[in-house]
Amino acid sequence: MKVLEAKFVKQFINLCFEGYQKGWHERNGGNLSYRIKKEEVESIKENFTYQDEREIGTIVKDLSNEYFLVTGSGCYLMNVKEYPEENICIIKVNDDGTKYQICRGLKNGGKPTSELPSHLMNLEVIKRRSINEKRIVYHMHATNVIALTFVLPLNSEIFTRELWEMATECPVVFPRGIGVIPWMVPGGKDIAIATSKMIEKYDAVIWAHHGMFVTGSTFDEAFGLADTIEKSAEILVKVISMKGVFSKEQTISRENFIHLAKDFNLTLNEDVLKICK
């Protein structure tokens, strides 16, 4: 099978374009990675040519000899749909989890996203968690989420509570809550470590003044999680704007959340429930 005919490649490309249409990928902002299933690798492996090994910048031993589809460094996600071979690539991690090889893509040269260490470290964490076979890490510059990092306390429980309250579906979509990391230089090992610690507990992590990382077992799930969080953030931005100050006359209460959890068979983050009114 040709690489671009594979279903997972088409879904990957579509997510990049959908995110661009949302306004989350200005210039070369944002990136996406997918841990490819063994049977998917076998279906397209005949098309691979292996380049020289390059350092990852961290160690991901639990991902040794696995293959990943990732966006390229400096590439514009708006171009992925029309020029995929120039903007995305398939890589293989080596035996000890310290290096990778490009096997396909980036035909004009280049390297995977500069945030590859963050992606691989988080993919390693969610692989160990083994929750619903999560294989996707998606980073986007969600406008309203970023705006809220300037006015809300950079506290995971408070941020989650405020977003849960904006729409009843929110605690259903992200019952574990959202992690929040204060501003750090993006693309390096430090922010990768901080994010991977958060991903042990949360399925989505906000990088203050920068954007958001989400995980998913399918491309639809990852995109849907990001879209739900950003929509909730948009509602909150509008509520704040209408009121003029940060306060609400009424909201979804702790008791309401408890009833919701019971009816939907959810386990909501207890730390968040403690600070709900």
Side-chain angles (χ1 to χ4, degrees):
M1 180 190 297
K2 294 181 179 179
V3 173
L4 295 181
E5 292 177 353
K7 183 178 179 180
F8 74 92
V9 177
K10 292 179 179 179
Q11 291 173 323
F12 184 100
I13 292 170
N14 185 63
L15 192 157
C16 291
F17 186 68
E18 290 293 328
Y20 166 69
Q21 288 189 309
K22 285 283 187 180
W24 299 343
H25 302 297
E26 76 292 338
R27 200 171 179 271
N28 62 323
N31 29 70
L32 175 64
S33 62
Y34 171 65
R35 182 165 64 91
I36 308 173
K37 297 176 181 178
K38 290 181 180 179
E39 61 269 24
E40 293 171 332
V41 172
E42 291 302 319
S43 71
I44 59 172
K45 201 171 183 179
E46 63 187 32
N47 302 286
F48 293 172
T49 55
Y50 295 84
Q51 297 182 14
D52 293 338
E53 289 188 341
R54 307 181 189 184
E55 296 286 342
I56 295 172
T58 188
I59 301 173
V60 284
K61 180 64 177 177
D62 289 347
L63 299 180
S64 62
N65 296 309
E66 293 215 45
Y67 290 79
F68 302 84
L69 180 57
V70 299
T71 49
S73 177
C75 294
Y76 289 38
L77 267 63
M78 65 179 286
N79 293 329
V80 169
K81 187 172 184 178
E82 190 166 358
Y83 307 108
E85 291 274 23
E86 298 174 11
N87 293 284
I88 63 177
C89 64
I90 293 174
I91 64 171
K92 181 188 179 184
V93 172
N94 71 348
D95 289 341
D96 62 9
T98 60
K99 299 178 181 180
Y100 70 90
Q101 293 173 284
I102 295 177
C103 309
R104 180 79 185 191
L106 294 179
K107 68 178 184 179
N108 293 333
K111 58 184 181 180
T113 170
S114 61
E115 287 167 349
L116 184 64
S118 291
H119 280 260
L120 292 181
M121 288 179 72
N122 285 283
L123 285 164
E124 183 179 45
V125 170
I126 61 178
K127 179 184 178 182
R128 286 199 301 262
R129 277 174 49 188
S130 298
I131 297 176
N132 299 326
E133 266 293 277
K134 290 184 182 292
R135 292 177 169 270
I136 297 158
V137 168
Y138 178 36
H139 170 52
M140 79 299 302
H141 298 169
T143 308
N144 292 284
V145 167
I146 295 171
L148 289 177
T149 65
F150 289 92
V151 298
L152 287 183
L154 299 179
N155 174 282
S156 301
E157 287 75 32
I158 293 174
F159 230 101
T160 298
R161 179 197 64 195
E162 295 301 330
L163 294 180
W164 272 5
E165 290 180 6
M166 292 302 102
T168 303
E169 69 171 327
C170 290
V172 178
V173 176
F174 49 98
R176 295 165 62 89
I178 302 171
V180 180
I181 295 175
W183 187 88
M184 298 178 70
V185 176
K189 188 174 181 179
D190 289 344
I191 197 167
I193 292 171
T195 307
S196 64
K197 289 179 180 177
M198 284 284 189
I199 289 295
E200 292 277 4
K201 183 176 181 180
Y202 303 102
D203 296 323
V205 175
I206 292 170
W207 287 358
H209 322 320
H210 182 167
M212 182 166 53
F213 250 64
V214 301
T215 64
S217 55
T218 67
F219 292 98
D220 284 346
E221 181 182 83
F223 184 82
L225 177 56
D227 200 15
T228 302
I229 294 171
E230 170 62 1
K231 183 174 183 178
S232 179
E234 181 181 2
I235 296 169
L236 182 53
V237 167
K238 290 179 177 179
V239 169
I240 295 171
S241 300
M242 287 187 293
K243 186 67 178 178
V245 294
F246 184 57
S247 63
K248 298 184 288 289
E249 296 295 337
Q250 56 278 317
T251 187
I252 302 174
S253 68
R254 175 168 53 248
E255 186 177 354
N256 294 152
F257 283 130
I258 292 171
H259 287 312
L260 182 72
K262 182 178 180 181
D263 286 355
F264 279 80
N265 194 28
L266 301 171
T267 301
L268 295 179
N269 189 315
E270 289 289 341
D271 292 331
V272 178
L273 287 176
K274 288 177 183 177
I275 63 170
C276 292
K277 296 178 181 179

